[in-house]
Amino acid sequence: MVVAEVLVMNDPLDDAYDVVVIGGGSAGLNGALVLARARRSVVVVDAGAPRNAPADAVHGLFAREGTPPAELLERGRAVVRGYGGQVVSGRVEEVTRDGDGFVVGLADGRTVRARRVLVATGLVDELPEVPGVRERWGRDVLHCPYCHGWEVRDQAIGVLAGGPMSLHQTLLLRQWSADITYFAHTAEPLTDEEAERLAARGIRVEEGDVAAVEVVDDRLVGLRMADGRLVRREALVVGPRMVARVGFLKALGVEPVPHPAGEYVQADATGRTDAPGVWIAGNASDLSAQVGGAAAAGAFAAAQINADLVNEDTERAVAVYREASVGAGAGAGAGAGAGAGVGVGVRGGAGRGA
Ligand SMILES: Cc1cc2nc3c(=O)[nH]c(=O)nc-3n(C[C@H](O)[C@H](O)[C@H](O)COP(=O)(O)OP(=O)(O)OC[C@H]3O[C@@H](n4cnc5c(N)ncnc54)[C@H](O)[C@@H]3O)c2cc1C
Protein backbone atom coordinates (compact mmCIF):
# COMPACT_ATOMS: atom_id res chain seq x y z
CA MET A 1 0.00 0.00 0.00
CA VAL A 2 1.15 3.52 -0.70
CA VAL A 3 1.49 5.16 2.69
CA ALA A 4 1.20 8.86 2.06
CA GLU A 5 1.68 10.45 5.44
CA VAL A 6 1.07 14.13 4.91
CA LEU A 7 3.83 16.39 6.16
CA VAL A 8 2.47 18.94 8.61
CA MET A 9 4.68 21.90 9.40
CA ASN A 10 4.22 22.48 13.11
CA ASP A 11 2.91 25.57 14.82
CA PRO A 12 3.89 25.92 18.50
CA LEU A 13 1.35 24.50 20.95
CA ASP A 14 -0.14 26.86 23.57
CA ASP A 15 -1.40 25.70 26.97
CA ALA A 16 -5.11 26.28 26.35
CA TYR A 17 -7.58 27.00 23.54
CA ASP A 18 -11.25 27.66 23.11
CA VAL A 19 -11.39 24.62 20.85
CA VAL A 20 -9.05 21.72 20.14
CA VAL A 21 -9.85 20.08 16.82
CA ILE A 22 -8.64 16.48 16.72
CA GLY A 23 -7.88 15.47 13.14
CA GLY A 24 -6.84 17.70 10.27
CA GLY A 25 -8.66 16.28 7.25
CA SER A 26 -11.39 18.15 5.43
CA ALA A 27 -13.81 18.01 8.40
CA GLY A 28 -11.28 19.21 10.97
CA LEU A 29 -9.69 21.91 8.84
CA ASN A 30 -12.98 23.38 7.70
CA GLY A 31 -14.21 23.36 11.30
CA ALA A 32 -11.03 25.12 12.41
CA LEU A 33 -11.43 27.69 9.64
CA VAL A 34 -14.92 28.62 10.81
CA LEU A 35 -13.78 28.79 14.44
CA ALA A 36 -10.72 30.92 13.64
CA ARG A 37 -12.91 33.30 11.63
CA ALA A 38 -15.24 33.44 14.63
CA ARG A 39 -12.22 34.75 16.53
CA ARG A 40 -11.89 31.62 18.65
CA SER A 41 -8.48 30.36 19.67
CA VAL A 42 -8.23 27.01 17.92
CA VAL A 43 -5.61 24.35 17.31
CA VAL A 44 -5.83 21.36 15.00
CA VAL A 45 -3.87 18.32 16.18
CA ASP A 46 -3.37 16.02 13.23
CA ALA A 47 -1.72 12.61 12.88
CA GLY A 48 -1.21 13.20 9.14
CA ALA A 49 -2.89 10.11 7.66
CA PRO A 50 -6.07 11.19 5.86
CA ARG A 51 -8.19 8.36 4.54
CA ASN A 52 -7.83 9.21 0.85
CA ALA A 53 -4.03 9.57 1.00
CA PRO A 54 -3.44 6.65 -1.42
CA ALA A 55 -5.52 8.32 -4.15
CA ASP A 56 -4.04 10.58 -6.86
CA ALA A 57 -6.83 13.14 -6.78
CA VAL A 58 -10.03 14.22 -5.06
CA HIS A 59 -13.03 13.90 -7.35
CA GLY A 60 -16.61 15.08 -7.13
CA LEU A 61 -15.52 18.18 -5.26
CA PHE A 62 -17.00 21.57 -6.07
CA ALA A 63 -14.48 24.00 -7.59
CA ARG A 64 -11.48 21.81 -6.64
CA GLU A 65 -12.16 18.78 -8.85
CA GLY A 66 -9.04 16.67 -9.41
CA THR A 67 -6.86 18.30 -6.74
CA PRO A 68 -4.34 15.87 -5.15
CA PRO A 69 -5.42 15.10 -1.55
CA ALA A 70 -2.17 16.38 -0.01
CA GLU A 71 -2.42 19.66 -1.93
CA LEU A 72 -6.02 20.19 -0.84
CA LEU A 73 -5.09 19.73 2.82
CA GLU A 74 -2.02 21.96 2.50
CA ARG A 75 -4.30 24.71 1.19
CA GLY A 76 -6.68 24.02 4.06
CA ARG A 77 -3.94 24.34 6.66
CA ALA A 78 -2.65 27.58 5.11
CA VAL A 79 -6.10 29.15 5.21
CA VAL A 80 -6.62 28.17 8.88
CA ARG A 81 -3.24 29.70 9.76
CA GLY A 82 -4.12 32.82 7.78
CA TYR A 83 -6.90 33.52 10.29
CA GLY A 84 -4.72 32.83 13.32
CA GLY A 85 -5.61 29.16 13.84
CA GLN A 86 -2.83 26.71 14.60
CA VAL A 87 -2.09 23.30 13.13
CA VAL A 88 0.30 20.88 14.82
CA SER A 89 1.22 17.33 14.00
CA GLY A 90 0.61 14.80 16.73
CA ARG A 91 -1.60 11.93 17.74
CA VAL A 92 -4.20 12.42 20.46
CA GLU A 93 -4.23 9.48 22.83
CA GLU A 94 -6.77 10.55 25.42
CA VAL A 95 -9.29 13.26 26.19
CA THR A 96 -10.39 13.68 29.80
CA ARG A 97 -12.81 16.07 31.43
CA ASP A 98 -11.32 18.70 33.70
CA GLY A 99 -13.75 21.07 35.40
CA ASP A 100 -15.92 22.58 32.69
CA GLY A 101 -13.30 21.88 30.01
CA PHE A 102 -11.02 19.14 28.78
CA VAL A 103 -7.42 18.00 28.87
CA VAL A 104 -6.25 16.61 25.55
CA GLY A 105 -3.24 14.28 25.84
CA LEU A 106 -0.90 13.66 22.90
CA ALA A 107 1.17 10.53 22.30
CA ASP A 108 4.39 12.57 22.66
CA GLY A 109 3.44 13.46 26.25
CA ARG A 110 2.23 17.03 25.61
CA THR A 111 -1.15 18.08 26.99
CA VAL A 112 -3.37 20.98 26.07
CA ARG A 113 -6.55 22.36 27.63
CA ALA A 114 -9.73 23.03 25.69
CA ARG A 115 -13.13 24.52 26.46
CA ARG A 116 -14.65 22.43 23.66
CA VAL A 117 -13.48 19.55 21.47
CA LEU A 118 -14.24 18.88 17.82
CA VAL A 119 -13.43 15.30 16.83
CA ALA A 120 -12.65 14.86 13.12
CA THR A 121 -10.43 11.79 13.07
CA GLY A 122 -12.10 9.95 10.20
CA LEU A 123 -12.14 6.19 9.89
CA VAL A 124 -10.00 3.17 9.11
CA ASP A 125 -10.86 1.08 6.04
CA GLU A 126 -10.45 -2.58 7.00
CA LEU A 127 -9.78 -4.21 3.64
CA PRO A 128 -10.59 -7.79 2.63
CA GLU A 129 -7.68 -10.13 3.35
CA VAL A 130 -6.97 -10.98 -0.27
CA PRO A 131 -3.31 -10.72 -1.33
CA GLY A 132 -2.77 -7.64 -3.48
CA VAL A 133 -5.83 -5.69 -2.35
CA ARG A 134 -3.95 -3.55 0.17
CA GLU A 135 -1.08 -2.84 -2.27
CA ARG A 136 -3.48 -1.61 -5.00
CA TRP A 137 -5.88 0.27 -2.65
CA GLY A 138 -6.76 3.72 -3.94
CA ARG A 139 -5.22 2.94 -7.35
CA ASP A 140 -7.06 0.17 -9.22
CA VAL A 141 -8.70 -1.33 -6.11
CA LEU A 142 -11.51 1.05 -5.21
CA HIS A 143 -14.65 1.32 -3.14
CA CYS A 144 -16.59 4.43 -4.15
CA PRO A 145 -18.00 4.92 -7.67
CA TYR A 146 -18.58 8.62 -7.03
CA CYS A 147 -14.86 9.02 -6.23
CA HIS A 148 -13.43 6.85 -9.01
CA GLY A 149 -16.24 5.56 -11.24
CA TRP A 150 -15.47 8.09 -13.98
CA GLU A 151 -11.78 7.10 -13.96
CA VAL A 152 -12.66 3.41 -14.61
CA ARG A 153 -15.61 4.02 -16.94
CA ASP A 154 -16.09 1.36 -19.63
CA GLN A 155 -13.33 -0.77 -18.12
CA ALA A 156 -13.58 -4.44 -17.14
CA ILE A 157 -14.54 -4.08 -13.48
CA GLY A 158 -14.82 -6.76 -10.82
CA VAL A 159 -16.72 -6.45 -7.57
CA LEU A 160 -15.36 -8.55 -4.70
CA ALA A 161 -18.45 -9.49 -2.70
CA GLY A 162 -18.39 -10.05 1.03
CA GLY A 163 -19.88 -6.98 2.64
CA PRO A 164 -23.51 -5.99 3.16
CA MET A 165 -23.32 -3.44 0.35
CA SER A 166 -21.82 -5.70 -2.33
CA LEU A 167 -24.95 -6.19 -4.38
CA HIS A 168 -25.85 -2.52 -4.24
CA GLN A 169 -22.27 -1.61 -5.22
CA THR A 170 -22.39 -4.02 -8.17
CA LEU A 171 -25.63 -2.62 -9.58
CA LEU A 172 -24.34 0.91 -9.00
CA LEU A 173 -21.12 0.22 -10.95
CA ARG A 174 -23.20 -0.82 -13.95
CA GLN A 175 -23.85 2.90 -14.42
CA TRP A 176 -20.15 3.36 -15.28
CA SER A 177 -19.41 0.20 -17.26
CA ALA A 178 -21.28 -2.54 -19.13
CA ASP A 179 -18.50 -5.03 -18.29
CA ILE A 180 -19.05 -5.94 -14.65
CA THR A 181 -18.32 -9.25 -12.93
CA TYR A 182 -19.60 -10.06 -9.45
CA PHE A 183 -17.12 -12.29 -7.56
CA ALA A 184 -19.21 -14.19 -5.00
CA HIS A 185 -16.09 -15.02 -2.92
CA THR A 186 -17.17 -15.20 0.76
CA ALA A 187 -20.64 -13.68 0.28
CA GLU A 188 -23.89 -15.44 1.11
CA PRO A 189 -25.32 -17.21 -1.97
CA LEU A 190 -27.47 -14.94 -4.13
CA THR A 191 -31.22 -15.35 -3.92
CA ASP A 192 -33.06 -16.08 -7.18
CA GLU A 193 -34.31 -12.51 -7.22
CA GLU A 194 -30.79 -11.06 -6.72
CA ALA A 195 -29.35 -13.31 -9.43
CA GLU A 196 -32.12 -12.19 -11.76
CA ARG A 197 -31.37 -8.51 -11.11
CA LEU A 198 -27.69 -9.02 -11.95
CA ALA A 199 -28.48 -11.09 -15.05
CA ALA A 200 -30.98 -8.50 -16.26
CA ARG A 201 -28.22 -5.86 -16.24
CA GLY A 202 -25.76 -8.16 -18.04
CA ILE A 203 -23.58 -8.64 -14.93
CA ARG A 204 -21.67 -11.94 -14.83
CA VAL A 205 -21.28 -13.93 -11.61
CA GLU A 206 -18.07 -15.82 -10.72
CA GLU A 207 -18.60 -18.39 -8.00
CA GLY A 208 -15.71 -19.58 -5.83
CA ASP A 209 -13.03 -17.98 -3.72
CA VAL A 210 -10.66 -15.33 -5.01
CA ALA A 211 -7.05 -16.18 -4.14
CA ALA A 212 -5.23 -12.98 -5.16
CA VAL A 213 -5.19 -9.80 -7.18
CA GLU A 214 -2.94 -10.33 -10.18
CA VAL A 215 -0.67 -7.41 -11.14
CA VAL A 216 1.58 -7.04 -14.21
CA ASP A 217 3.76 -3.99 -14.86
CA ASP A 218 2.16 -2.13 -11.97
CA ARG A 219 -1.37 -2.64 -13.34
CA LEU A 220 -4.16 -4.87 -12.08
CA VAL A 221 -4.83 -7.46 -14.78
CA GLY A 222 -7.31 -9.77 -13.10
CA LEU A 223 -8.27 -11.94 -10.18
CA ARG A 224 -6.61 -15.30 -9.60
CA MET A 225 -9.27 -17.74 -8.44
CA ALA A 226 -8.60 -20.45 -5.84
CA ASP A 227 -9.06 -23.04 -8.62
CA GLY A 228 -6.15 -21.46 -10.54
CA ARG A 229 -8.08 -19.61 -13.26
CA LEU A 230 -7.30 -15.97 -14.02
CA VAL A 231 -10.40 -13.83 -14.61
CA ARG A 232 -9.23 -10.74 -16.47
CA ARG A 233 -10.26 -7.37 -14.98
CA GLU A 234 -8.82 -3.88 -15.08
CA ALA A 235 -10.23 -2.58 -11.79
CA LEU A 236 -11.62 -4.13 -8.63
CA VAL A 237 -14.23 -2.69 -6.29
CA VAL A 238 -14.26 -3.87 -2.66
CA GLY A 239 -16.41 -3.07 0.35
CA PRO A 240 -14.10 -2.27 3.29
CA ARG A 241 -15.36 -2.43 6.85
CA MET A 242 -15.26 1.21 7.96
CA VAL A 243 -14.34 1.83 11.59
CA ALA A 244 -14.33 5.29 13.22
CA ARG A 245 -10.97 6.23 14.81
CA VAL A 246 -12.17 7.30 18.25
CA GLY A 247 -10.50 5.07 20.86
CA PHE A 248 -9.14 8.19 22.62
CA LEU A 249 -12.69 9.21 23.64
CA LYS A 250 -13.23 6.21 25.93
CA ALA A 251 -12.67 8.17 29.15
CA LEU A 252 -15.53 10.49 28.12
CA GLY A 253 -17.87 7.55 27.56
CA VAL A 254 -18.02 8.13 23.80
CA GLU A 255 -17.80 4.81 21.99
CA PRO A 256 -18.59 3.77 18.45
CA VAL A 257 -21.79 1.86 17.73
CA PRO A 258 -22.29 -0.87 15.11
CA HIS A 259 -23.36 0.01 11.58
CA PRO A 260 -24.00 -2.54 8.79
CA ALA A 261 -20.78 -1.32 7.12
CA GLY A 262 -18.62 -0.88 10.25
CA GLU A 263 -18.69 1.33 13.36
CA TYR A 264 -19.38 5.04 13.80
CA VAL A 265 -20.11 7.54 16.57
CA GLN A 266 -23.69 8.69 16.94
CA ALA A 267 -24.29 12.42 17.16
CA ASP A 268 -27.23 14.73 16.64
CA ALA A 269 -27.75 16.63 13.40
CA THR A 270 -25.37 19.37 14.57
CA GLY A 271 -22.56 16.93 15.41
CA ARG A 272 -23.12 17.11 19.18
CA THR A 273 -22.21 13.82 20.92
CA ASP A 274 -23.67 12.46 24.17
CA ALA A 275 -20.65 13.92 26.00
CA PRO A 276 -21.37 17.61 26.69
CA GLY A 277 -18.79 19.84 25.01
CA VAL A 278 -17.70 17.24 22.46
CA TRP A 279 -18.73 17.55 18.81
CA ILE A 280 -17.87 15.20 15.96
CA ALA A 281 -17.82 15.64 12.17
CA GLY A 282 -16.77 13.84 9.01
CA ASN A 283 -16.25 10.11 8.52
CA ALA A 284 -15.99 9.39 12.25
CA SER A 285 -19.73 10.04 12.58
CA ASP A 286 -20.84 9.57 8.96
CA LEU A 287 -19.21 6.62 7.22
CA SER A 288 -20.54 7.70 3.82
CA ALA A 289 -19.35 11.32 3.91
CA GLN A 290 -17.12 12.35 1.02
CA VAL A 291 -14.68 15.24 1.19
CA GLY A 292 -17.31 17.92 0.50
CA GLY A 293 -19.76 16.43 3.01
CA ALA A 294 -17.09 16.04 5.68
CA ALA A 295 -15.98 19.65 5.20
CA ALA A 296 -19.57 20.87 5.42
CA ALA A 297 -20.18 18.88 8.61
CA GLY A 298 -17.00 20.32 10.14
CA ALA A 299 -18.13 23.86 9.37
CA PHE A 300 -21.61 23.26 10.76
CA ALA A 301 -20.34 21.69 13.99
CA ALA A 302 -17.91 24.59 14.39
CA ALA A 303 -20.75 27.10 14.19
CA GLN A 304 -22.65 25.17 16.87
CA ILE A 305 -19.55 25.10 19.08
CA ASN A 306 -19.13 28.83 18.68
CA ALA A 307 -22.80 29.40 19.60
CA ASP A 308 -22.34 27.20 22.67
CA LEU A 309 -19.29 29.22 23.72
CA VAL A 310 -21.16 32.48 23.12
CA ASN A 311 -23.85 31.23 25.52
CA GLU A 312 -21.25 30.32 28.11
CA ASP A 313 -19.46 33.67 27.69
CA THR A 314 -22.78 35.45 28.12
CA GLU A 315 -23.73 33.50 31.24
CA ARG A 316 -20.35 34.29 32.78
CA ALA A 317 -20.70 37.96 31.85
CA VAL A 318 -24.18 38.10 33.38
CA ALA A 319 -22.85 36.61 36.62
CA VAL A 320 -20.06 39.20 36.75
CA TYR A 321 -22.50 41.95 35.84
CA ARG A 322 -24.94 41.00 38.61
CA GLU A 323 -22.21 40.74 41.17
CA ALA A 324 -20.88 44.15 40.19
CA SER A 325 -24.39 45.64 40.27
CA VAL A 326 -25.04 44.28 43.76
CA GLY A 327 -21.62 45.43 44.98
CA ALA A 328 -22.12 48.96 43.68
CA GLY A 329 -25.51 49.40 45.36
CA ALA A 330 -28.87 50.26 43.88
CA GLY A 331 -28.07 53.82 42.74
CA ALA A 332 -24.60 53.20 41.20
CA GLY A 333 -25.54 51.76 37.82
CA ALA A 334 -22.84 53.61 35.86
CA GLY A 335 -20.02 52.29 38.06
CA ALA A 336 -21.32 48.73 37.85
CA GLY A 337 -21.53 48.94 34.07
CA ALA A 338 -17.90 49.97 33.74
CA GLY A 339 -16.79 46.88 35.62
CA ALA A 340 -18.95 44.33 33.79
CA GLY A 341 -16.96 44.20 30.55
CA VAL A 342 -18.33 42.36 27.55
CA GLY A 343 -21.81 41.81 28.97
CA VAL A 344 -22.44 45.54 29.32
CA GLY A 345 -21.08 46.35 25.88
CA VAL A 346 -23.33 43.82 24.17
CA ARG A 347 -26.32 44.76 26.22
CA GLY A 348 -25.91 48.53 25.64
CA GLY A 349 -25.28 48.08 21.92
CA ALA A 350 -28.34 45.91 21.47
CA GLY A 351 -30.50 48.39 23.33
CA ARG A 352 -29.44 51.31 21.15
CA GLY A 353 -29.79 49.40 17.94
CA ALA A 354 -33.32 48.19 18.59
C1 LIG B 1 -8.95 5.56 -1.59
C2 LIG B 1 -9.95 6.62 -1.29
C3 LIG B 1 -10.22 7.58 -2.24
C4 LIG B 1 -11.17 8.57 -1.97
N1 LIG B 1 -11.46 9.49 -2.94
C5 LIG B 1 -12.36 10.45 -2.71
C6 LIG B 1 -12.71 11.37 -3.74
O1 LIG B 1 -12.20 11.32 -4.84
N2 LIG B 1 -13.63 12.33 -3.43
C7 LIG B 1 -14.23 12.41 -2.21
O2 LIG B 1 -15.03 13.32 -1.99
N3 LIG B 1 -13.93 11.52 -1.23
C8 LIG B 1 -13.01 10.55 -1.45
N4 LIG B 1 -12.72 9.65 -0.46
C9 LIG B 1 -13.36 9.79 0.85
C10 LIG B 1 -12.53 10.79 1.69
O3 LIG B 1 -11.29 10.20 1.97
C11 LIG B 1 -13.29 11.12 2.98
O4 LIG B 1 -14.55 11.61 2.66
C12 LIG B 1 -12.56 12.18 3.80
O5 LIG B 1 -11.21 11.85 3.96
C13 LIG B 1 -13.24 12.35 5.16
O6 LIG B 1 -12.62 13.44 5.81
P1 LIG B 1 -12.40 13.42 7.40
O7 LIG B 1 -11.88 14.78 7.70
O8 LIG B 1 -13.61 12.94 8.07
O9 LIG B 1 -11.28 12.31 7.66
P2 LIG B 1 -9.78 12.20 7.11
O10 LIG B 1 -9.61 12.89 5.82
O11 LIG B 1 -9.43 10.75 7.15
O12 LIG B 1 -8.91 13.01 8.17
C14 LIG B 1 -8.80 12.56 9.49
C15 LIG B 1 -7.48 13.05 10.02
O13 LIG B 1 -7.44 12.80 11.43
C16 LIG B 1 -6.18 12.28 11.76
N5 LIG B 1 -6.29 11.49 13.00
C17 LIG B 1 -6.83 10.26 13.18
N6 LIG B 1 -6.73 9.89 14.46
C18 LIG B 1 -6.10 10.91 15.09
C19 LIG B 1 -5.69 11.13 16.44
N7 LIG B 1 -5.92 10.22 17.41
N8 LIG B 1 -5.05 12.28 16.75
C20 LIG B 1 -4.81 13.24 15.80
N9 LIG B 1 -5.19 13.07 14.52
C21 LIG B 1 -5.81 11.92 14.17
C22 LIG B 1 -5.79 11.43 10.57
O14 LIG B 1 -4.40 11.18 10.56
C23 LIG B 1 -6.29 12.32 9.43
O15 LIG B 1 -5.28 13.22 9.02
C24 LIG B 1 -11.83 8.61 -0.72
C25 LIG B 1 -11.54 7.63 0.23
C26 LIG B 1 -10.63 6.64 -0.04
C27 LIG B 1 -10.35 5.58 0.97
Side-chain angles (χ1 to χ4, degrees):
M1 176 181 178
V2 180
V3 178
E5 290 270 323
V6 175
L7 182 69
V8 180
M9 297 299 288
N10 265 339
D11 292 336
L13 194 57
D14 293 342
D15 293 336
Y17 295 85
D18 286 327
V19 186
V20 172
V21 178
I22 308 174
S26 47
L29 289 172
N30 214 31
L33 171 62
V34 169
L35 288 160
R37 283 177 49 80
R39 313 187 75 180
R40 294 294 175 188
S41 59
V42 57
V43 65
V44 180
V45 181
D46 183 41
R51 184 183 174 209
N52 57 348
D56 283 347
V58 179
H59 294 293
L61 183 62
F62 173 69
R64 289 284 177 210
E65 170 60 28
T67 309
E71 183 184 323
L72 191 72
L73 296 182
E74 186 45 50
R75 283 171 181 266
R77 288 191 287 271
V79 175
V80 168
R81 291 186 171 115
Y83 286 102
Q86 292 177 233
V87 186
V88 305
S89 64
R91 176 171 298 282
V92 169
E93 281 211 324
E94 193 177 42
V95 182
T96 50
R97 205 172 281 284
D98 183 35
D100 54 2
F102 301 91
V103 174
V104 178
L106 277 63
D108 61 13
R110 289 180 291 173
T111 58
V112 59
R113 294 181 56 81
R115 294 174 67 190
R116 300 290 182 274
V117 172
L118 174 56
V119 177
T121 42
L123 61 78
V124 174
D125 290 289
E126 293 179 355
L127 299 171
E129 293 292 333
V130 172
V133 163
R134 184 164 296 281
E135 290 77 3
R136 307 305 299 178
W137 176 235
R139 301 174 72 194
D140 33 29
V141 174
L142 317 161
H143 75 301
C144 160
Y146 298 105
C147 305
H148 308 287
W150 177 265
E151 281 61 43
V152 297
R153 67 194 182 281
D154 297 328
Q155 289 188 12
I157 300 172
V159 179
L160 185 66
M165 304 303 286
S166 299
L167 206 66
H168 168 71
Q169 251 183 335
T170 308
L171 289 167
L172 209 54
L173 260 301
R174 179 63 181 77
Q175 176 63 18
W176 281 269
S177 173
D179 185 357
I180 306 284
T181 300
Y182 174 91
F183 290 84
H185 192 51
T186 59
E188 295 287 310
L190 293 168
T191 65
D192 289 348
E193 192 189 334
E194 289 167 344
E196 183 185 41
R197 286 169 72 79
L198 295 183
R201 297 301 320 264
I203 296 169
R204 285 177 301 279
V205 176
E206 276 289 344
E207 303 290 353
D209 281 356
V210 173
V213 170
E214 199 88 357
V215 176
V216 174
D217 292 336
D218 201 28
R219 288 185 70 91
L220 187 153
V221 295
L223 295 191
R224 182 68 64 186
M225 306 299 290
D227 64 13
R229 286 178 306 124
L230 177 70
V231 180
R232 294 215 165 264
R233 297 285 89 189
E234 295 168 280
L236 179 67
V237 173
V238 299
R241 187 166 177 273
M242 298 179 280
V243 181
R245 298 190 267 211
V246 290
F248 56 88
L249 291 174
K250 221 172 197 151
L252 297 178
V254 177
E255 300 218 34
V257 297
H259 178 281
E263 291 175 13
Y264 74 112
V265 173
Q266 277 179 322
D268 73 9
T270 72
R272 189 191 295 261
T273 69
D274 290 341
V278 180
W279 272 259
I280 191 161
N283 274 163
S285 56
D286 177 0
L287 302 180
S288 66
Q290 292 184 256
V291 167
F300 192 58
Q304 310 307 311
I305 291 173
N306 182 53
D308 195 45
L309 288 170
V310 165
N311 272 340
E312 186 176 283
D313 292 341
T314 306
E315 278 161 24
R316 285 179 181 173
V318 166
V320 172
Y321 179 75
R322 285 182 183 160
E323 205 170 298
S325 300
V326 170
V342 171
V344 167
V346 170
R347 203 164 167 258
R352 276 193 297 278

